[in-house]
């Protein structure tokens, strides 16, 4: 069945998302809650990574996010700009966002962002900045389509992307691998040189985390 026709109604979607978010920690875990081998973390995925920053940066940050997660939106609005300015743009860290959709609407948003190729991350930022206008609206697909018109995706392309079964499966393969291999079960979840951190992380905590990784070199 085409993906575009199996979207849940808003009440179910928001209820499910809120239930998942309620189970998430509201504050950052300032110490790592686990570790995975960096080689395994960086192994090829069903979808190629979009890397922000220098390939040779000593710190690798991988975020698993959901487009309908308000905590993820807050990170990208309030924290990521400082992280980018202080660490990514200066060559101290590189950043990779990977898909971990909590619901079909988040999957749809990721599929559409992927369609834009090297503009994927800019599209993700746009969708997070306008999350309330589509993710929590009465007609979320209409809201999503309206936001993505700003990125150059018209209605015909919008509908075609949501019927792309291979892309749909690949987004979920990225999610499933994270759950099965790395124990990801909430968003945002971060891996910093393989160390796992869950929940919101403020700018000061990022400074401590990244400093500890570079000091260990």
């Amino acid at each position: 069945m085409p993906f575009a026709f199996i979207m849940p109604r808003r009440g179910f979607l928001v209820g499910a998302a809120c239930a998942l978010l309620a189970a998430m920690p509201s504050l950052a875990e300032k110490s790592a809650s686990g570790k995975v081998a960096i080689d395994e973390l960086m192994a090829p995925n069903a979808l190629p990574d979009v890397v922000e920053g220098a390939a040779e940066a000593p710190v690798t940050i991988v975020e698993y996010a959901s487009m309908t997660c308000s905590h993820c939106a807050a990170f990208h609005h309030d924290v990521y700009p400082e992280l980018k300015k202080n660490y990514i743009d200066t060559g101290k860290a590189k950043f990779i966002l990977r898909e971990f959709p909590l619901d079909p609407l988040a999957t749809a948003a990721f599929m559409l962002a992927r369609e834009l190729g090297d503009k994927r991350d800019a599209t993700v930022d746009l969708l997070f900045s306008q999350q309330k206008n589509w993710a929590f609206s009465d007609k979320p697909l209409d809201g999503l389509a309206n936001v993505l018109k700003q990125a150059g995706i018209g209605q015909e392309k919008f509908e075609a992307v949501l019927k792309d079964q291979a892309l749909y499966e690949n987004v979920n393969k990225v999610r499933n691998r994270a759950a099965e291999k790395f124990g990801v079960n909430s968003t945002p979840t971060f891996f910093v040189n393989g160390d796992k951190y869950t929940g919101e992380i403020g700018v000061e905590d990022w400074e401590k985390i990244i400093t500890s990784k570079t000091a260990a070199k």
Side-chain angles (χ1 to χ4, degrees), residues 143-175:
L144 183 59
N146 287 334
V147 172
L148 286 172
K149 286 177 183 176
Q150 301 174 47
I153 294 182
Q155 189 63 32
E156 184 176 350
K157 173 61 73 174
F158 181 89
E159 294 176 4
V161 171
L162 294 188
K163 294 176 183 177
D164 187 336
Q165 188 65 25
L167 180 56
Y168 172 81
E169 291 175 358
N170 283 336
V171 168
N172 282 289
K173 283 178 182 177
V174 173
R175 182 195 190 284

Side-chain angles (χ1 to χ4, degrees), residues 15-151:
C18 289
L20 283 162
L21 292 173
M24 293 164 47
S26 58
L27 299 175
E29 295 182 4
K30 294 181 175 61
S31 59
S33 60
K35 188 173 182 65
V36 301
I38 191 69
D39 289 346
E40 186 172 15
L41 181 67
M42 301 307 296
N45 243 316
L47 292 169
D49 284 334
V50 179
V51 182
E52 299 286 347
E56 67 274 13
V59 176
T60 299
I61 303 167
V62 176
E63 179 196 11
Y64 283 96
S66 176
M67 291 305 310
T68 53
C69 167
S70 58
H71 295 277
C72 300
F75 166 73
H76 280 268
H77 182 268
D78 300 330
V79 179
Y80 181 75
E82 290 297 311
L83 189 66
K84 185 176 188 299
K85 180 179 70 175
N86 295 333
Y87 300 103
I88 299 170
D89 291 347
T90 58
K92 297 176 182 178
K94 57 180 175 286
F95 180 88
I96 298 163
L97 182 145
R98 290 182 184 163
E99 293 88 347
F100 197 87
L102 295 177
D103 50 67
L105 183 59
T107 305
F110 276 131
M111 291 170 66
L112 290 154
R114 278 284 180 177
E115 178 64 21
L116 288 165
D118 60 3
K119 296 181 180 178
R120 198 278 309 246
D121 282 1
T123 306
V124 166
D125 288 341
L126 172 66
L127 290 170
F128 276 138
S129 71
Q130 299 196 31
Q131 189 184 68
K132 66 180 181 180
N133 295 328
W134 60 274
F136 304 109
S137 69
D138 290 332
K139 296 181 178 180
L141 278 182
D142 289 347
L144 183 59
N146 287 334
V147 172
L148 286 172
K149 286 177 183 176
Q150 301 174 47

Side-chain angles (χ1 to χ4, degrees), residues 183-201:
V184 177
N185 58 18
S186 65
T187 57
T189 292
F190 300 93
F191 291 89
V192 186
N193 285 4
D195 288 337
K196 180 180 179 182
Y197 300 83
T198 58
E200 297 180 36
I201 303 177

